[in-house]
Structure formats: C-alpha cells, structure tokens
Amino acid sequence: INATITNSSTGRIRFKADRVSLGANITTGGQIYIYADTNAETVGLGDGVSGGFDLTNNEMAYLHGATTNLIGQSDGTGAIAVGTFTHDYTITILSLSGAISITGDVTMTGDAPLTIETRGAHTDTDVTLEDSGSITMGSGTLNIMSGTGDGDVIIETGGTGISSTDSGDIIITSDTSTILSPVATGGTFTIQPTSAAADPTIGIVNDIGLFTVNTNELPFFRGQTNNIIGRADGTGAIQIGTLTFDNYPLTVRSLTGT
C-alpha cells in the first residue's frame, strides 16, 4: 500500500493478507484491523524479529486508527514475536493460542494504551517479556492478559522490565505469573488472576494457592500510587504469609473471598 487511505468516519479498515507492505498512512476515526489470511501464521511486529506475516517499525507507524490498531486475530494459533517499535496510537496485539514474546524495546508515547492478549484455553498461551526486551509507556494504560488453562505472564529476570514515564496504569491478568524484573509506574500496578471464581485461590509469599506472588517478586512491584494483588470481583480465598514491602503502597483485595 503506497497511497494514503483515509476514512473520516469511525468505520473499520480491515486488511487480511498472506503478506503486507505498508508505505503510506492509513487513517480512520475507528479501528484498523490487520491480520494474516491463515490463523496458524507466525507474526513478527517491529524491528529485529521476523515471522511469516511481518510489520516493521516504519510500517506500524503508518497505522492511525483512532479507536485501536489491532494486529493478530482472536483465533490465531501462530506465535507472535514482538521486536522494537514506537507508536503513538492505541495498539492491540491479539492471539488465541499462539505464545507472544517481546524481545525488543516497545515504546508507547503520550497517552497511547497498549494491550497484549492471548485468549485461548491452552497451556502454551504465555506472554513473555524476555530479558532483552522492555516496555515503556507514557500516560496510557498497559494491559497484558494471558489465556486460561495455565496461561502465564512472564517478565524474565535481569531485564529492564516495564515502566511508565508518567502515571499510566499497568494491569497483568493471568492464570499464573512470574515477575522478576521491575514493573514501575507513577500510577497503579495491578496483578490479578484471570478468573474471579473461588478457584483460583491466591497465595502471597507462601506458595499456597493456584495464583501466587512470591517474596522474590514483590521487590519488583513499583507502582507509586498503588500495587494491587487480587480482583475487585474475586471470590477465592487469599492466604498471606510473612512479607516486607518497602517504599510503595500495597492493597490485597477480594470481593467475597476470605
């Protein structure tokens, strides 16, 4: 695509293709939806990664969907590799059961939010921020969600982790999680199980429960406004062991769970 495409209304612009090459702005007051024509295709987003269906950093910069720019598909099964890119519009990266790995530096500027989501009931629906990668937000919200069925959100040790240069909220929702690099924001960091049901139970620093937060993870919780563990609508029990949490506020929450 080498000519500008503009929709002055809120209509969706959708591209489904085996391969795509973008060389001009695509603008709409609604959503841009771009995905491979086969749901098993691997995807590479940004520079430094590759897949069968790729968008470079320069190509992603042409996506100007005011509502969201959705890359991937709700029934996608191919892995998604995320490299280095910078964007100032809303981005959603979506898969059903293909694992999503971030190995580059992702930067969202201004108030642009970012959602990274796997939706499948599969054991391989992990979202992993590898030690070589980072996510930097402005004032926009970051949502990372892994699918049910032991879907894990992993922030590997030794990395830069996730940060917000402003007060953007960071929300991680998963069956299980491993947080071993900083999650820092002037806003609120929330970590919660996918399900609000009585199962899973939550264990904090005592490894009791299906959704656990360990002592070696807590030092990386660096929300200046608040750090929240648990769901506002949760019904599962929460067990808290001996813990020390310095310098940052902490809230453990549930609706009806003891």
Side-chain angles (χ1 to χ4, degrees), residues 5-24:
I5 298 175
T6 302
N7 184 340
S8 59
S9 72
T10 58
R12 173 188 289 182
I13 299 175
R14 180 163 59 182
F15 300 95
K16 178 181 180 181
D18 180 59
R19 300 292 183 266
V20 66
S21 176
L22 302 182

Side-chain angles (χ1 to χ4, degrees), residues 28 89 164 176 203 208 215 241:
T28 178
Y89 283 79
S164 169
T176 58
I208 299 174
T215 53

Side-chain angles (χ1 to χ4, degrees), residues 147-180:
T148 59
D150 199 25
D152 200 354
V153 172
I154 302 165
I155 302 176
E156 291 186 346
T157 186
T160 303
I162 300 170
S163 63
S164 169
T165 59
D166 202 330
S167 56
D169 291 337
I170 299 169
I171 304 167
I172 292 177
T173 305
S174 62
D175 273 358
T176 58
S177 63
T178 304
I179 311 298
L180 295 176

Side-chain angles (χ1 to χ4, degrees), residues 23-212:
N25 287 337
I26 303 166
T27 304
T28 178
Q31 179 190 81
I32 296 173
Y33 184 15
I34 185 166
Y35 59 105
D37 63 355
T38 57
N39 64 349
E41 184 64 273
T42 57
V43 177
L45 301 178
D47 294 343
V49 294
S50 62
F53 184 89
D54 292 340
L55 286 172
T56 66
N57 177 48
N58 287 340
E59 289 176 313
M60 291 182 67
Y62 291 123
L63 302 176
H64 298 166
T67 303
T68 191
N69 298 273
L70 194 158
I71 305 167
Q73 49 194 313
S74 59
D75 62 349
T77 60
I80 299 178
V82 180
T84 296
F85 71 83
T86 299
H87 213 277
D88 55 0
Y89 283 79
T90 303
I91 292 287
T92 298
I93 301 170
L94 177 63
S95 174
L96 174 68
S97 60
I100 299 176
S101 59
I102 302 111
T103 58
D105 298 317
V106 174
T107 303
M108 303 296 292
T109 61
D111 61 355
L114 172 64
T115 297
I116 302 171
E117 181 180 3
T118 62
R119 292 182 175 177
H122 305 274
T123 58
D124 59 351
T125 55
D126 293 348
V127 178
T128 304
L129 177 59
E130 299 189 10
D131 58 4
S132 61
S134 67
I135 300 175
T136 302
M137 303 295 295
S139 59
T141 297
L142 171 64
N143 270 290
I144 302 178
M145 296 172 279
S146 67
T148 59
D150 199 25
D152 200 354
V153 172
I154 302 165
I155 302 176
E156 291 186 346
T157 186
T160 303
I162 300 170
S163 63
S164 169
T165 59
D166 202 330
S167 56
D169 291 337
I170 299 169
I171 304 167
I172 292 177
T173 305
S174 62
D175 273 358
T176 58
S177 63
T178 304
I179 311 298
L180 295 176
S181 285
V183 180
T185 177
T188 296
F189 170 43
T190 300
I191 186 166
Q192 58 189 6
T194 302
S195 173
D199 211 3
T201 53
I202 299 175
I204 301 174
V205 307
N206 60 6
D207 288 329
I208 299 174
L210 297 178
F211 184 90
T212 61

